[in-house]
Amino acid sequence: MTTTTHTPGPWKIGRYRSGGRGTSRTIWRGDDNERNTNWALIARHIHNPADAALIAAAPELLAALEDALTLLSAVADLAAVDVHPDKINAVCDAAADAIAKARGEA
């Protein structure tokens, strides 16, 4: 397990009015209490709700992909696998690349 260097999740979506340009979204970490000082702004001025949802899900997606890579790597080592090991290895390589990109290592 590696040490997390990004702002840990969960991340939440907030909304704000951006002048005359309509409503855009922010991504932040913290609780729902506005007086909480333990919060962090992750991103702002996100106009597409789908982009905001994807960004907010990033910590959970990274954790799930790390778990999947661990499991797939163990499965690839088994001799009695119905799926061709090269295909599993290709999926593991793609997952490892995505994890490295998410960690800023790629």
Side-chain angles (χ1 to χ4, degrees):
M1 186 80 184
T2 60
T3 302
T4 300
T5 57
H6 64 273
T7 304
W11 295 355
K12 300 178 183 182
I13 300 173
R15 293 183 183 197
Y16 68 96
R17 303 273 307 157
S18 55
R21 300 172 60 194
T23 301
S24 63
R25 279 115 188 115
T26 59
I27 307 298
W28 55 278
R29 183 195 183 284
D31 65 26
D32 293 329
N33 180 352
E34 292 181 14
R35 294 180 183 177
N36 181 8
T37 58
N38 186 23
W39 66 276
L41 178 65
I42 307 300
R44 63 182 175 178
H45 303 298
I46 304 163
H47 297 283
N48 183 333
D51 291 343
L54 182 60
I55 293 166
E60 290 87 354
L61 289 169
L62 177 58
L65 188 56
E66 289 172 333
D67 290 345
L69 178 58
T70 299
L71 180 62
L72 283 173
S73 296
V75 169
D77 291 339
L78 296 176
V81 177
D82 292 332
V83 179
H84 194 278
D86 288 343
K87 187 168 190 169
I88 294 174
N89 289 333
V91 170
C92 288
D93 289 345
D97 291 346
I99 291 168
K101 182 177 181 181
R103 290 181 183 153
E105 299 168 357

